[in-house]
Amino acid sequence: MLTALLSIILNIVAQATLSNDVELLFAGDAMQHRAQIDAAKRSDGSYDYSDCFTDISHLVKSADLAIVNLETPVGASGPYSGYPCFFAPSAFVDALADAGFDVFLTANNHTLDRRAKGLRSTIRELNARCIYHLGTYTDEAARAKALPLILTVKGIHIGFLNYTYGTNGIAPDGGVVVDYIDRSRITHDIAQAREAGAEAIVVAVHWGDEYKLLPNAAQKQLAEFLVNQGVDLIIGGHPHVIQPMEVVHSAGHNKDVLLVYSLGNFISNMKTRDTRGGAFVRARLHRHPDGSVRFASANWQLHFTVPAGDGRNYHVVPADSVDNPAWRQHAREFVRAASEIFHRHNREVPEFKRK
């Protein structure tokens, strides 16, 4: 009798954690230029980024899982630096995590800016905070242990993979591993994730031409390859500007795939019209009555980085809510250009409409 009752209770608890829908939120390149580092430095030598994300953290935390590209190595001690070789205080990671980001992508062209030492430092800081991360590893054994990264959200098992086109000509040394775009490795990783129980697979790719608002031929070819491999979401970064997004039907796998070419900058000190902001993308995964999990829908929302001033640090705000007079027109210009690209080139990925 007691055993039967316990079984019923455990079943009720298990069912309570399940859901037919999971919402993922993706943000673009989280960068740290010299001016941002200087703005965050306090008189006691510490760094404080707590003000950077207060205006959008509610959006990030509203998702079931949030993912961001960490485009700088980080460490507990300096010297810190901005472009061209980034290295930022680990307090930046704290602020991103406090804002609600759960998964950090580290495979990008700046991940080796401080060589193997900086890569290891970044992983050490992320591990110390128990933050999920992928894309770079201290050695092959660490990669084998870390992958496949499968996170269970509301009962849905989601696999994550992350690759970059390159690392600015700096080769990995000291045994560290960067996941470069390699089709044979990607094919193996996808199969391994499926075998380990991933019901949906997200592939984040650092690719494309910087500052170009439309994808190049190589991006399109790799996207086609990934669709044919049966992945469910393809999320791109690197151009530092937004690029279109679309829903592609995979005939071979009889399902739709979300393809996002570039989310643009999440936070940075870049100064041209198209680099001052980026897009959040919300993607919904749905479990069907037959038990299968499929991508169901997605939408986008623009955000804008307001530079430090008037007693505030650099801070990200919804792009249609910039109230700083000095930056309101810049935000409008960013919104106009980005919206034009999305409205002209997006396929089945509409703008998020606030209620």
Side-chain angles (χ1 to χ4, degrees):
M1 180 72 175
L2 183 59
T3 301
L5 179 61
L6 180 60
S7 177
I8 292 172
I9 293 172
L10 290 174
N11 185 59
I12 292 172
V13 171
Q15 290 299 316
T17 65
L18 300 179
S19 172
N20 288 332
D21 293 283
V22 166
E23 184 179 84
L24 307 180
L25 180 142
F26 297 89
D29 303 336
M31 309 192 72
Q32 277 293 286
H33 291 91
R34 180 77 252 179
Q36 293 171 271
I37 296 171
D38 292 342
K41 190 171 184 178
R42 298 297 173 254
S43 58
D44 63 358
S46 65
Y47 292 84
D48 181 4
Y49 294 93
S50 59
D51 187 38
C52 293
F53 309 115
T54 54
D55 296 295
I56 49 83
S57 63
H58 65 289
L59 301 174
V60 179
K61 292 176 180 177
S62 69
D64 296 308
L65 198 74
I67 301 94
V68 66
N69 174 46
L70 180 64
E71 192 148 353
T72 176
V74 298
S77 60
Y80 300 117
S81 57
Y83 181 84
C85 290
F86 294 108
F87 190 59
S90 53
F92 183 51
V93 166
D94 293 326
L96 289 165
D98 289 344
F101 288 104
D102 306 289
V103 181
F104 287 52
L105 308 171
T106 58
N108 55 66
N109 59 305
H110 287 289
T111 199
L112 288 177
D113 279 5
R114 286 294 180 91
R115 281 36 179 200
K117 183 178 179 180
L119 183 150
R120 291 193 182 99
S121 171
T122 303
I123 291 174
R124 184 167 58 250
E125 296 301 312
L126 293 170
N127 286 344
R129 291 158 175 78
C130 298
I131 293 172
Y132 295 114
H133 60 91
L134 72 159
T136 58
Y137 312 91
T138 54
D139 53 38
E140 284 289 354
R143 184 184 192 275
K145 184 178 180 180
L147 294 182
L149 175 61
I150 300 177
L151 302 181
T152 302
V153 186
K154 292 184 175 178
I156 292 178
H157 307 303
I158 309 168
F160 291 88
L161 298 169
N162 179 210
Y163 306 93
T164 180
Y165 75 92
T167 46
N168 293 342
I170 305 172
D173 62 1
V176 300
V177 177
V178 177
D179 272 348
Y180 295 104
I181 296 170
D182 178 291
R183 295 193 181 196
S184 61
R185 170 158 273 195
I186 293 172
T187 299
H188 173 270
D189 291 344
I190 291 170
Q192 185 182 48
R194 289 288 186 203
E195 291 169 5
E199 298 175 284
I201 294 179
V202 178
V203 179
V205 196
H206 214 67
W207 58 1
D209 295 322
E210 289 185 330
Y211 318 122
K212 299 296 184 181
L213 292 166
L214 295 176
N216 63 26
Q219 286 172 275
K220 294 178 181 179
Q221 291 164 6
L222 182 59
E224 182 179 9
F225 165 78
L226 292 170
V227 169
N228 291 336
Q229 288 294 312
V231 308
D232 299 271
L233 280 73
I234 304 166
I235 308 295
H238 173 62
H240 300 303
V241 297
I242 60 92
Q243 290 182 343
M245 52 194 75
E246 58 185 296
V247 176
V248 181
H249 186 71
S250 173
H253 297 272
N254 190 30
K255 65 180 181 181
D256 288 337
V257 178
L258 174 64
L259 168 57
V260 176
Y261 280 111
S262 176
L263 291 170
N265 286 331
F266 176 47
I267 188 169
S268 79
N269 187 44
M270 289 190 173
K271 297 179 174 65
T272 61
R273 179 196 66 187
D274 298 325
T275 61
R276 291 189 180 277
F280 290 128
V281 166
R282 296 176 181 82
R284 184 169 62 91
L285 298 174
H286 179 73
R287 186 182 295 283
H288 292 268
D290 65 1
S292 65
V293 173
R294 293 286 188 268
F295 161 74
S297 63
N299 57 58
W300 55 269
Q301 181 177 2
L302 296 175
H303 53 74
F304 183 86
T305 297
V306 177
D310 297 330
R312 293 202 64 180
N313 200 340
Y314 284 77
H315 54 286
V316 183
V317 300
D320 59 359
S321 302
V322 177
D323 56 10
N324 186 312
W327 297 102
R328 191 179 296 128
Q329 186 58 36
H330 291 281
R332 288 173 180 166
E333 292 171 0
F334 165 74
V335 169
R336 179 189 58 76
S339 298
E340 182 179 348
I341 289 292
F342 285 159
H343 290 311
R344 180 180 298 179
H345 296 281
N346 279 16
R347 291 170 46 197
E348 298 182 59
V349 185
E351 184 176 4
F352 172 75
K353 298 297 185 181
R354 282 188 277 183
K355 299 179 181 178

